[in-house]
Amino acid sequence: MLTVPIRTGKRGTSGVAFEFNAWTLDLDNLPRCKNGFLRLLTEKEREWKGPFYFIQGADPQFGLMKAWSTGDCDNGGDEWGQEIRLTEQAVQAINKLKPKPRFFVLCGDLIHAMPGMPWRKEQTEDLQRVLRNVDREIPLVLVSGNHDVGNTPTPETIAEFQQTWGDDYFSFWVGGVLFLVLNSQFLYDASRCPALKQAQDQWLDQQLGIAGQRQCQHAVVFQHIPLFLQSVDEDDDYFNLARTVRKEMAEKFARAGIKAVFSGHYHRNAGGTYQNLDMVVSSAIGCQLGKDTHGLRVVVVTAEKIVHRYYSLDELSEKGIEDDLMDLMKKK
């Protein structure tokens, strides 16, 4: 079974700890029911009880490695055996970790085929099959990327994502920390779905109000496209948000006390800071576009800070988490 969150209070009208139902994806009949993720939504998850950690991954993007190798990223991608093996390795590495991470978040571009393109259904089914093997005690959080909803999303592509994977934006609590999941395509190009962007904007303002009132130990954002790769003043690029948008969002996040934004999209490790905001860009589980290795990021949350480190899949599989990070979780 694969459990993913869905939002029941789109405009933040209900208490944030109860904004979810959950879908359990049974590949035979896809029933909707309350299951796994709900244990993160009880009132007790609003309370800080000590350090914990989670795993962040990004861009399994089934099909990109073949498409990139042939130079046809728009129409290629008819093979994804390498991505299957890499994602299986990621799942196996996560399942072996002791103690178990509180959750595993995938920051977008789950598959490569855009909405309406060939192989989308087959790539989706293969990824669902692999993700079914995530330990049932490790909730799975899925973030939408541009390949999941389209570079210029529409109400139809958003609805398809919701039906397949769950909601495209939502919030949840773990151990006194407020986590916000955003659909970054609304920040990139919402020209064909302005009402949906407006709904996310209104919901986000309400969530940031909770963070700004310091009703949580920390607040963290997950999205696919980074605000920036190194500096908030860098030039506009395919891999970041437009300067006017990124500055507005960075200021809004910093004012609300958001501690970190975790993203993918770049297929390389990068990042920077804006005021007290940490912008973390993680490389891919799948296709690498730079010199990094296929990997995952371990994120340790303590009372004072958030510490993260990128591991290759081989490192995490063979050696696990290093002692200095484990020691952080022993401190109360």
Side-chain angles (χ1 to χ4, degrees), residues 100-165:
K100 297 181 188 299
R102 290 301 309 274
F103 62 90
F104 169 35
V105 57
L106 269 176
C107 283
D109 277 4
L110 307 176
I111 60 172
H112 180 62
M114 290 276 193
M117 295 299 290
W119 308 300
R120 184 171 174 86
K121 179 176 181 290
E122 292 82 0
Q123 290 173 4
T124 297
E125 290 175 349
D126 279 345
L127 179 58
Q128 288 178 340
R129 176 180 55 79
V130 173
L131 293 179
R132 285 176 64 183
N133 293 317
V134 174
D135 190 309
R136 288 180 60 85
E137 295 186 14
I138 303 173
L140 180 61
V141 180
L142 301 174
V143 181
S144 63
N146 57 304
H147 281 262
D148 305 313
V149 299
N151 285 323
T152 305
T154 67
E156 292 75 22
T157 65
I158 298 298
E160 181 202 342
F161 180 87
Q162 293 172 342
Q163 289 293 323
T164 304
W165 298 110

Side-chain angles (χ1 to χ4, degrees), residues 48 50-54 102-103 174-177 179 299-302 329:
W48 176 258
F52 63 89
Y53 81 103
F54 64 87
R102 290 301 309 274
F103 62 90
V174 175
V177 178
F179 293 93
V299 185
V300 178
V301 182
T302 74
M329 286 184 278

Side-chain angles (χ1 to χ4, degrees), residues 117-256:
M117 295 299 290
W119 308 300
R120 184 171 174 86
K121 179 176 181 290
E122 292 82 0
Q123 290 173 4
T124 297
E125 290 175 349
D126 279 345
L127 179 58
Q128 288 178 340
R129 176 180 55 79
V130 173
L131 293 179
R132 285 176 64 183
N133 293 317
V134 174
D135 190 309
R136 288 180 60 85
E137 295 186 14
I138 303 173
L140 180 61
V141 180
L142 301 174
V143 181
S144 63
N146 57 304
H147 281 262
D148 305 313
V149 299
N151 285 323
T152 305
T154 67
E156 292 75 22
T157 65
I158 298 298
E160 181 202 342
F161 180 87
Q162 293 172 342
Q163 289 293 323
T164 304
W165 298 110
D167 269 340
D168 55 318
Y169 64 89
F170 52 91
S171 64
F172 61 97
W173 291 83
V174 175
V177 178
L178 174 61
F179 293 93
L180 308 179
V181 174
L182 300 185
N183 182 342
S184 57
Q185 288 311 118
F186 291 155
L187 304 175
Y188 181 82
D189 183 358
S191 59
R192 298 180 67 186
C193 55
L196 295 179
K197 178 186 184 299
Q198 182 180 24
Q200 177 176 265
D201 289 346
Q202 292 173 346
W203 169 86
L204 178 60
D205 287 343
Q206 185 264 340
Q207 300 296 306
L208 293 178
I210 295 172
Q213 293 166 20
R214 304 302 185 265
Q215 297 179 23
C216 50
Q217 189 74 22
H218 303 294
V220 173
V221 170
F222 298 123
Q223 59 187 56
H224 179 62
I225 302 178
L227 299 176
F228 53 86
L229 301 176
Q230 294 180 319
S231 167
V232 75
D233 294 313
E234 67 196 21
D235 292 339
D236 290 354
D237 186 271
Y238 170 78
F239 291 108
N240 60 22
L241 292 175
R243 189 178 305 179
T244 54
V245 175
R246 89 173 75 113
K247 286 189 171 183
E248 176 188 353
M249 297 304 295
E251 180 61 34
K252 183 180 291 191
F253 289 162
R255 189 166 57 246

